[in-house]
Amino acid sequence: MKRHFDEELSQVKERLLRMGANAEKMIHLSAKDLLARTESDRAELERLEKDVNAIEMEIDDRVVKLIALRQPMATDLRFLMMASRIAGELERIADQSINIIETTHWYLSGPPLKPIMDLPLMAEIVQEMLRDCLDAFVRQDVGAAKRVLESDDKVDTCKKRIFDEMIATMESDPQTVRRGVCIVLISRNLERIGDHATNIAEEVIYMVEARDVRHHHGEATGPGERKDGKEFGENPGD
Amino acid sequence: MLEARNLKLWYGDFRALNGVSMSITPNAITAIIGPSGCGKSTLLRCFNRMNDLVEGSRTEGEVLFEGKNINDRRFDMTELRKRVGMVFQRPNPFPLTVFDNVAYGPRIHGLASGDALREIVKKALQSTLLWDELGEKLEAPALSLSAEQQQRLCISRLVAVAPDVLLMDEPCSALDPMATQNIEELMLELKKRFTIVIVTHNMQQAARVSDFTGFMLLGDLVEFGETQRVFTAPRQKKTEEYITGRYG
């Protein structure tokens, strides 16, 4: 039986997907500017960011209203709680994209540094992570969400290599400090985007399976579960 | 404390319970939820053998109370009803005074008289937060009280004989929201001293007050576990459908 409540939940999902599409577009534009040494239309970026911020507030408002009025339980409750969190992650991803664009603008005012192989790789991985975690959300696909978690290590490795490389470059040639700092900041922004995509993947897993995998991937426990796998109040012999 | 083992019950040819097993945790509130006719009240009544009063009912399996099977013919029924009391959907005070309602149990069980009895009545009314309201009106007819006061009086009547378990069958369904909230608060206080099993149609009530929840459907205990877990992450699809309103 289709419930009116299902329609209201669908509207939250639809808003979240629009927010995700905007965030994806913002990362794409920021990565393009950085790698192709172009400058995106600032008005377009500002419009996207404004839209993301407005949808985040709209989603939170809808979630509060639906929790108060509908008193959702089980899968409905988990969906709404995670929708609010995912909206927060997407808003921060959009902020990080703006940071990248602003730092890139500063970076492009000087001649290019020697090619940094890990930077395009890192940008590509985080874009893929965001795409995959949003797909996992739409398809309720825990397997896809887990693959996003695995990608986070690759992002961290890239960032560390970029840090090491930039430190060596700046030490050997003080003229590169300004641009080197820009690259360090940008890699930090990309890493944070990867972290937010990872959070979304964890939130999708909780939404689908009610397993909290934060901080201890793979050792998930559900609410009310004991370490011995039995439930509180469960018969010892069961 | 209380445990049902493979409990089956028939009303004539109709099987109302299909082999229910569950363990009731002491000093906690266990809620039994499910749609009408699922067997939840029948299960509740098995815990103090109230179904014996239904003609044509037949029970198989065990209900253990402190390790002894209450379905055993040798079990002392007077002792069982004293230690496992029941609160019903509609308040059912006796057509007596407030005092005589609460004193009724201690008198017939020969527990106390005189000052000792007055002390029991006072404590019973205090435990249900009625003493401040009715301490000066002990001779008032119980039937003149509000529905909520009558229900709390019925709980006082049970408390007066110092039971171990309180069985509550839809205790708030005849009460308004404010009175319901008061009874729920009272249950949370009472669980410090008693073990409570409640049957309710109201899922939000089960979620608010209980520590453990069992979901019943067509005579089966479909799922049983910690309330927080059952209402946020039920393991059975049928439970999920029922608590999210997709059932049926």
Side-chain angles (χ1 to χ4, degrees):
Chain A
M1 184 173 60
K2 177 89 171 168
R3 306 166 307 166
H4 283 94
F5 186 34
D6 288 328
E7 178 57 32
E8 292 172 305
L9 294 176
S10 295
Q11 287 166 3
V12 172
K13 188 172 182 178
E14 180 271 320
R15 303 306 287 155
L16 206 54
L17 291 177
R18 174 168 165 176
M19 203 178 170
N22 282 355
E24 270 188 295
K25 197 167 178 184
M26 290 177 75
I27 300 185
H28 173 73
L29 290 174
S30 61
K32 183 169 78 65
D33 281 5
L34 174 68
L35 303 173
R37 295 183 70 83
T38 57
E39 293 223 36
S40 294
D41 178 5
R42 292 302 291 249
E44 166 71 354
L45 284 164
E46 279 168 17
R47 189 193 62 74
L48 288 170
E49 192 201 8
K50 215 171 157 184
D51 200 38
V52 164
N53 292 346
I55 299 175
E56 185 200 16
M57 290 169 69
E58 183 191 334
I59 287 173
D60 280 351
D61 188 52
R62 281 177 188 250
V63 166
V64 167
K65 190 188 91 181
L66 290 175
I67 287 175
L69 302 184
R70 295 290 194 167
Q71 296 164 8
M73 288 182 178
T75 183
D76 297 334
L77 176 63
R78 299 200 305 272
F79 168 78
L80 285 172
M81 295 299 295
M82 293 307 106
S84 178
R85 283 203 195 171
I86 291 171
E89 309 289 355
L90 291 171
E91 190 274 333
R92 283 174 208 118
I93 285 174
D95 283 350
Q96 295 292 342
S97 302
I98 294 290
N99 291 344
I100 292 174
I101 282 167
E102 285 173 351
T103 311
T104 298
H105 178 71
W106 203 35
Y107 172 70
L108 294 182
S109 63
L113 288 173
K114 65 170 184 160
I116 306 150
M117 300 308 291
D118 281 306
L119 204 57
L121 177 63
M122 197 176 177
E124 191 184 317
I125 294 172
V126 297
Q127 286 183 84
E128 198 176 284
M129 285 172 77
L130 178 59
R131 199 164 47 242
D132 288 350
C133 69
L134 291 172
D135 279 352
F137 170 73
V138 173
R139 296 199 311 268
Q140 309 232 325
D141 183 346
V142 168
K146 284 180 180 166
R147 287 194 290 279
V148 173
L149 303 185
E150 287 157 14
S151 296
D152 196 36
D153 290 342
K154 292 184 215 162
V155 173
D156 292 343
T157 306
C158 283
K159 190 199 77 174
K160 187 177 181 315
R161 283 203 300 252
I162 291 169
F163 268 41
D164 292 344
E165 192 177 343
M166 284 303 103
I167 287 168
T169 303
M170 289 186 280
E171 279 176 348
S172 64
D173 179 4
Q175 295 294 316
T176 62
V177 167
R178 179 187 167 105
R179 287 164 290 156
V181 168
C182 288
I183 296 298
V184 166
L185 288 174
I186 288 168
S187 66
R188 171 78 181 140
N189 295 142
L190 289 170
E191 186 221 2
R192 291 300 299 146
I193 291 173
D195 289 343
H196 291 304
T198 301
N199 291 349
I200 293 174
E202 290 170 345
E203 285 147 8
V204 168
I205 292 172
Y206 180 74
M207 186 181 82
V208 178
E209 293 190 339
R211 289 190 307 126
D212 190 346
V213 296
R214 290 174 301 173
H215 311 304
H216 42 74
H217 296 174
E219 289 178 40
T221 54
E225 286 180 354
R226 301 190 309 210
K227 282 187 177 170
D228 62 5
K230 288 214 172 278
E231 254 193 55
F232 298 100
E234 201 171 339
N235 294 340
D238 287 352
Chain B
M1 169 60 71
L2 259 182
E3 187 181 342
R5 285 189 181 171
N6 196 22
L7 191 61
K8 297 172 186 162
L9 186 139
W10 288 260
Y11 294 122
D13 293 333
F14 175 71
R15 189 149 105 170
L17 296 178
N18 301 325
V20 171
S21 297
M22 77 189 302
S23 176
I24 305 296
T25 302
N27 294 102
I29 300 175
T30 299
I32 305 169
I33 61 170
S36 298
C38 69
K40 54 189 187 298
S41 289
T42 296
L43 175 62
L44 190 76
R45 290 197 299 264
C46 285
F47 289 130
N48 71 345
R49 284 185 54 182
M50 288 289 280
N51 289 310
D52 289 9
L53 305 174
V54 179
E55 199 176 336
S57 71
R58 182 166 62 86
T59 307
E60 274 183 20
E62 294 181 318
V63 175
L64 302 179
F65 178 51
E66 294 181 339
K68 290 181 185 161
N69 184 12
I70 66 169
N71 290 336
D72 189 324
R73 287 181 183 279
R74 287 163 297 182
F75 202 94
D76 182 344
M77 287 301 292
T78 308
E79 181 70 4
L80 176 68
R81 298 271 166 78
K82 175 175 162 288
R83 296 185 63 187
V84 185
M86 188 169 242
V87 180
F88 298 88
Q89 192 168 349
R90 296 205 168 270
N92 56 351
F94 302 134
L96 303 170
T97 64
V98 169
F99 183 90
D100 286 340
N101 262 275
V102 183
Y104 191 86
R107 276 175 179 151
I108 61 166
H109 289 292
L111 297 178
S113 60
D115 286 346
L117 180 60
R118 276 188 284 280
E119 191 58 26
I120 286 176
V121 170
K122 181 180 178 182
K123 283 191 171 159
L125 289 170
Q126 282 173 333
S127 70
T128 57
L129 312 177
L130 270 180
W131 182 252
D132 288 347
E133 294 167 44
L134 300 181
E136 303 293 318
K137 299 177 190 168
L138 294 177
E139 296 309 313
L143 295 175
S144 69
L145 305 179
S146 71
E148 181 204 339
Q149 285 177 324
Q150 287 188 16
Q151 193 64 301
R152 282 198 277 158
L153 183 69
C154 292
I155 298 171
S156 311
R157 197 170 61 192
L158 293 181
V159 169
V161 294
D164 298 288
V165 181
L166 300 178
L167 304 176
M168 298 186 166
D169 192 357
E170 297 274 6
C172 301
S173 63
L175 303 179
D176 65 34
M178 192 55 79
T180 296
Q181 187 183 339
N182 291 339
I183 296 291
E184 288 178 4
E185 289 295 328
L186 177 60
M187 288 169 68
L188 293 170
E189 278 301 310
L190 290 173
K191 81 169 181 179
K192 295 171 189 165
R193 292 170 54 201
F194 308 103
T195 299
I196 297 175
V197 187
I198 177 177
V199 159
T200 178
H201 266 112
N202 183 335
M203 277 186 294
Q204 272 72 32
Q205 179 171 63
R208 281 192 299 265
V209 300
S210 72
D211 302 287
F212 301 95
T213 295
F215 167 59
M216 291 195 68
L217 190 62
L218 301 172
D220 290 312
L221 181 64
V222 174
E223 183 157 0
F224 181 59
E226 263 203 327
T227 295
Q228 182 208 345
R229 207 266 304 148
V230 171
F231 282 102
T232 57
R235 291 187 180 138
Q236 302 300 323
K237 193 164 183 287
K238 286 174 180 169
T239 315
E240 173 95 36
E241 287 172 349
Y242 182 72
I243 65 174
T244 58
R246 292 182 173 92
Y247 171 76

